[in-house]
Amino acid sequence: MDLALQVWGGGFYLLNKIFFAVAEGQRENRQRKIWIAGWLVYILGVPAWFIILAGKHDWIAASIQAGVVPSMLFGLYNAFSHTDSTNKTFDRIASLCTCICLAIGISYSLYDYGGLTAGSQVLELCIMLGFLVGSYLLAKKNLYGWLFFMLMNGCMATLMLLQNKPLLSAQQLLSLCFVIYGFNVAWKFSRKQAC
């Protein structure tokens, strides 16, 4: 069962990063379709990640999975709506849900571990920062979301390796390659548009 969850969660997460990276620099209509696919595959992988992380008592990282769903839906909505302006109500709801999930995850982790006592908790805090801020910024089409994803992928790869999940650790490192590629393409594209 554990291997199936790793393949499910890791596979969908990797597809998300591939789609996002490939979407950068594409023509607007094609980019929008690829972003839609990227948001959808990530949402489909959330349950597996939540089960894996909760099973290891990674409460902060597990709460991220729940907290990021509204941001993913926000990104999906923006891609479907085909507009440069964002829905302020949806934006606020996504932010509120994220904050609530973070508070629950951090609080429960501190309760379960008796404070900030484990190295895994520090990694989870870095994962949380990278994942939530990165997802939020990418949902708003801000290229700096890629930088936060780099932090998240590196810390998640380390956490998975420490918890004896080498398949997920390798998947995170492979995802990191696509994140770096996506950032480079987005950066070059933004420079061309600025000229």
Side-chain angles (χ1 to χ4, degrees):
M1 179 67 166
D2 185 60
L3 183 60
L5 288 171
Q6 288 184 58
V7 170
W8 172 17
F12 278 99
Y13 186 87
L14 181 58
L15 280 173
N16 164 265
K17 293 300 173 284
I18 292 170
F19 284 137
F20 280 7
V22 169
E24 293 295 343
Q26 297 289 329
R27 285 179 280 120
E28 187 177 342
N29 192 40
R30 181 165 165 75
Q31 183 183 47
R32 186 176 67 84
K33 289 176 184 174
I34 297 170
W35 275 87
I36 289 169
W39 293 118
L40 283 172
V41 296
Y42 190 86
I43 292 168
L44 293 172
V46 166
W49 272 105
F50 185 84
I51 293 167
I52 289 167
L53 294 167
K56 289 291 191 178
H57 292 244
D58 295 329
W59 303 116
I60 299 170
S63 72
I64 294 166
Q65 298 303 318
V68 81
V69 170
S71 291
M72 292 291 168
L73 292 172
F74 179 47
L76 188 58
Y77 171 81
N78 284 344
F80 267 117
S81 66
H82 196 25
T83 180
D84 286 334
S85 63
T86 58
N87 182 307
K88 290 187 190 315
T89 302
F90 205 164
D91 189 9
R92 287 184 187 121
I93 291 169
S95 298
L96 180 62
C97 289
T98 297
C99 291
I100 291 169
C101 287
L102 287 178
I104 292 170
I106 292 169
S107 298
Y108 194 73
S109 180
L110 293 173
Y111 168 77
D112 190 35
Y113 284 89
L116 189 61
T117 60
S120 65
Q121 289 174 292
V122 174
L123 287 171
E124 287 182 84
L125 289 171
C126 293
I127 292 165
M128 173 191 69
L129 176 69
F131 192 69
L132 293 175
V133 175
S135 296
Y136 182 77
L137 290 175
L138 286 180
K140 294 180 87 167
K141 299 178 182 175
N142 184 322
L143 69 94
Y144 293 106
W146 290 109
L147 296 177
F148 284 93
F149 273 7
M150 289 178 200
L151 170 68
M152 182 268 306
N153 282 121
C155 291
M156 184 65 91
T158 304
L159 181 64
M160 291 297 101
L161 191 60
L162 292 173
Q163 294 184 342
N164 234 4
K165 300 217 179 286
L167 180 65
L168 286 178
S169 183
Q171 174 270 318
Q172 288 293 318
L173 292 174
L174 188 55
S175 289
L176 180 60
C177 295
F178 284 100
V179 168
I180 292 168
Y181 170 80
F183 177 75
N184 285 331
V185 172
W187 179 263
K188 289 175 187 173
F189 188 72
S190 71
R191 288 291 189 217
K192 279 184 186 175
Q193 287 186 326
C195 293

